Amino acid sequence: MDRLTLSHIDEGLDSSEVAELCFLCRDVVTRRRLENDAKDLFMRLEEKGLLQNDAFLRQLLYTIHRADLLRVLETDSRPPEETDASPVLSDYRKTLYSIYNGFTTENFEKLKFLLNDELGRRQMELSKTPLDVFAEMEKSALLSDTDVRLLHKALQECDQQLAITLEEYTQSIGSTSIYPHMYILHTYYYTLTHNPRGLCVVFNNEIFTGTNLSNRKGTQKDADTLTEVFTRLGFQVEIHDNCTAEQMKKEINDLGRINFTNHDALVVCVLSHGEKGCVFGTDGGKVLLKELTNPFTSGRASTLAGKPKLFFIQACQGEEYQKGYYPSSREDEKQNKGALQSDASIPDEAVPVPERADFLIGMATVEEFKSFRNTVTGSIYIQELCKQLTIAARRQEMDDILTVLTRVNREVSKGEYLSHKQMPQPNYTLTKKLVLKFV
């Protein structure tokens, strides 16, 4: 390329822009040879054969938003040259540059604070811009084009939009291994980026005064376990104790009117008595399953459209007992047999669970049958659900929620409860995989 043209471009760049160009070229020029000098950078690019035509330099100037200097290239009397082997500036570098441009002074200081333990105080003091921090992370093997986990975690605390920019990069390269210990941000996976992830609302009905329904001893253990697990999964947990049917409906309808823009998911857990197609308030009033889910359909809660909505129902769905056909250990059952109860009531007309996009309804039992609860340790279903969610959240493998619920089905179905069986049943209209990891 014409040296006079390069000289004109050099004169038009300030020191910060030269530093930006050097960062963008870290993949193609030996890092120790980059001295934040434009003339030196151009010489290194020439040595690498990257200035045989102006394609690569055009990409660099376009990325740093110097359209005026692009016009300098257009004044070159020679026609622009292109070859099939024209070098391309990596999407990884362009993404990091875009993130750098989005930083405020406040967020930059927060980034340095968050990464201080990993990079060290001295490196943080020497880092004057986010690009310097990125470079230090690369030197310490904490950041690369295939591993952006640490940076993403920090960006989640600094600026959610910048975190999304990084996620879009992972999606564009179709990666399924960038987040092996957290969660995959991929086209076929629900995106979980906000902190908190969303709400987990628990209706915990224990005392049924003035009804023919017994009090549900042990349900507080379920509420406590759900609170612990979903808090660790990044959700804000809200507990509603001993609600009548009308109170439950009001809380659900109020919840449906929330702006969920900054939420990635919704979880609703109902711990109560029930029968086919409904659960009960503490006054014995019915809440149909569709009354729990309808406020969150795409038409009524547009800010939840395309986001997973999970409902876990610990309640009986009928009066029938399931027979057991497989031998199993009875040691635990014999020890706690007197503590097992069922969450059943008088059967009534069935109400089907509506099918809606991105819903999952996890039922403690199949229709027509009872579910069981230990008055000391909590319900069989909720305790196994929380156990399997915890196991999956700790595993390196990316177990999605349906895999988790299949394990719950398997483990619950193995046991015998008051000489009977229990078979949970998930129903879903999820359109992507949902992976829940501890934050």
Side-chain angles (χ1 to χ4, degrees):
M1 181 176 293
D2 181 74
R3 288 298 178 90
L4 182 59
T5 300
L6 292 177
S7 178
H8 287 161
I9 293 174
D10 173 35
E11 292 172 359
L13 295 169
D14 61 33
S15 58
S16 65
E17 290 170 327
V18 174
E20 293 167 5
L21 292 177
C22 288
F23 179 83
L24 290 170
C25 292
R26 285 173 68 87
D27 293 330
V28 294
V29 178
T30 305
R31 295 170 187 175
R32 63 182 177 82
R33 302 188 66 183
L34 290 176
E35 304 296 338
N36 285 356
D37 177 88
K39 290 187 177 67
D40 181 64
L41 173 63
F42 295 153
M43 288 179 58
R44 305 308 169 206
L45 293 177
E46 279 187 326
E47 292 173 1
K48 294 289 184 178
L50 296 173
L51 295 184
Q52 292 180 359
N53 59 64
D54 62 9
F56 189 70
L57 185 55
R58 283 179 177 275
Q59 294 176 57
L60 291 172
L61 296 176
Y62 178 80
T63 300
I64 67 170
H65 311 294
R66 287 304 303 267
D68 57 329
L69 295 181
L70 282 172
R71 289 193 289 270
V72 173
L73 289 176
E74 293 170 359
T75 62
D76 192 337
S77 59
R78 297 177 303 167
E81 300 176 7
E82 292 185 1
T83 69
D84 291 336
S86 293
V88 176
L89 188 60
S90 74
D91 288 338
Y92 166 67
R93 291 285 160 198
K94 289 189 287 187
T95 298
L96 293 182
Y97 182 82
S98 177
I99 291 171
Y100 149 76
N101 265 338
F103 264 98
T104 63
T105 301
E106 178 183 358
N107 284 342
F108 175 48
E109 292 303 318
K110 188 172 184 179
L111 177 74
K112 292 200 292 183
F113 174 78
L114 291 170
L115 296 175
N116 187 73
D117 289 343
E118 286 79 5
L119 292 177
R121 183 175 178 179
R122 181 175 179 276
Q123 282 73 15
M124 290 296 93
E125 290 177 348
L126 293 174
S127 297
K128 304 303 180 185
T129 72
L131 293 183
D132 294 334
V133 174
F134 301 160
E136 292 296 332
M137 293 179 71
E138 290 178 329
K139 290 178 185 177
S140 301
L142 297 173
L143 178 65
S144 71
D145 60 343
T146 59
D147 187 353
V148 297
R149 287 172 293 166
L150 181 60
L151 178 58
H152 181 267
K153 184 177 181 180
L155 291 179
Q156 284 185 296
E157 300 297 324
C158 297
D159 189 313
Q160 288 292 334
Q161 190 54 52
L162 296 183
I164 290 173
T165 298
L166 192 56
E167 292 156 23
E168 290 173 347
Y169 161 71
T170 70
Q171 294 173 4
S172 70
I173 63 174
S175 174
T176 58
S177 60
I178 290 181
Y179 293 92
H181 302 293
M182 296 169 61
Y183 39 79
I184 298 176
L185 299 168
H186 186 267
T187 305
Y188 300 108
Y189 288 77
Y190 288 108
T191 299
L192 301 176
T193 58
H194 291 92
N195 189 12
R197 301 283 181 255
L199 290 175
C200 172
V201 179
V202 180
F203 291 94
N204 179 35
N205 289 345
E206 179 178 5
I207 309 300
F208 291 79
T209 305
T211 72
N212 64 344
L213 302 172
S214 61
N215 293 338
R216 300 181 61 257
K217 294 181 181 179
T219 190
Q220 188 58 47
K221 180 66 174 179
D222 286 346
D224 293 343
T225 306
L226 286 167
T227 298
E228 177 186 357
V229 171
F230 277 98
T231 298
R232 295 183 68 189
L233 291 172
F235 287 82
Q236 177 184 333
V237 180
E238 295 181 0
I239 304 290
H240 299 285
D241 290 317
N242 297 317
C243 294
T244 65
E246 289 305 313
Q247 288 172 336
M248 291 177 68
K249 293 175 187 178
K250 181 182 184 303
E251 292 292 345
I252 283 290
N253 286 322
D254 289 346
L255 183 63
R257 287 190 282 268
I258 289 178
N259 184 342
F260 293 97
T261 300
N262 294 323
H263 296 232
D264 297 317
L266 171 69
V267 178
V268 176
C269 304
V270 179
L271 315 175
S272 190
H273 285 295
E275 63 185 31
K276 190 175 180 180
C278 72
V279 294
F280 287 91
T282 54
D283 59 344
K286 296 179 182 180
V287 181
L288 306 180
L289 295 185
K290 69 178 183 180
E291 292 180 294
L292 293 175
T293 58
N294 278 351
F296 309 104
T297 59
S298 298
R300 294 180 61 178
S302 59
T303 53
L304 268 179
K307 301 176 182 179
K309 297 161 278 282
L310 312 182
F311 291 76
F312 297 107
I313 312 298
Q314 170 53 46
C316 288
Q317 287 294 288
E319 282 290 309
E320 299 295 326
Y321 286 101
Q322 296 188 61
K323 296 180 180 179
Y325 296 94
Y326 303 97
S328 62
S329 172
R330 303 189 180 206
E331 182 178 348
D332 291 339
E333 181 191 342
K334 289 179 181 178
Q335 182 178 351
N336 298 305
K337 184 173 182 178
L340 285 171
Q341 298 179 351
S342 67
D343 288 330
S345 71
I346 302 171
D348 200 358
E349 183 179 353
V351 178
V353 178
E355 291 189 358
R356 298 290 189 270
D358 305 297
F359 277 88
L360 181 145
I361 296 95
M363 305 297 297
T365 183
V366 294
E367 288 187 351
E368 311 286 356
F369 291 97
K370 293 176 178 285
S371 61
F372 294 92
R373 167 179 34 84
N374 189 294
T375 58
V376 177
T377 60
S379 66
I380 306 303
Y381 174 67
I382 292 297
Q383 292 301 315
E384 189 62 42
L385 170 67
C386 291
K387 176 183 175 181
Q388 294 301 330
L389 284 171
T390 299
I391 291 173
R394 290 172 172 166
R395 284 166 56 89
Q396 180 172 341
E397 290 77 5
M398 305 306 294
D399 298 330
D400 72 307
I401 190 65
L402 299 183
T403 300
V404 171
L405 292 179
T406 300
R407 291 175 182 150
V408 173
N409 285 356
R410 181 179 65 243
E411 295 304 315
V412 172
S413 67
K414 285 180 180 179
E416 285 192 11
Y417 318 101
L418 298 176
S419 300
H420 299 287
K421 304 291 284 186
Q422 180 174 328
M423 186 68 247
Q425 181 180 32
N427 298 297
Y428 68 95
T429 58
L430 298 179
T431 57
K432 299 179 182 180
K433 290 189 176 184
L434 175 64
V435 176
L436 298 174
K437 294 292 186 182
F438 290 149
V439 297

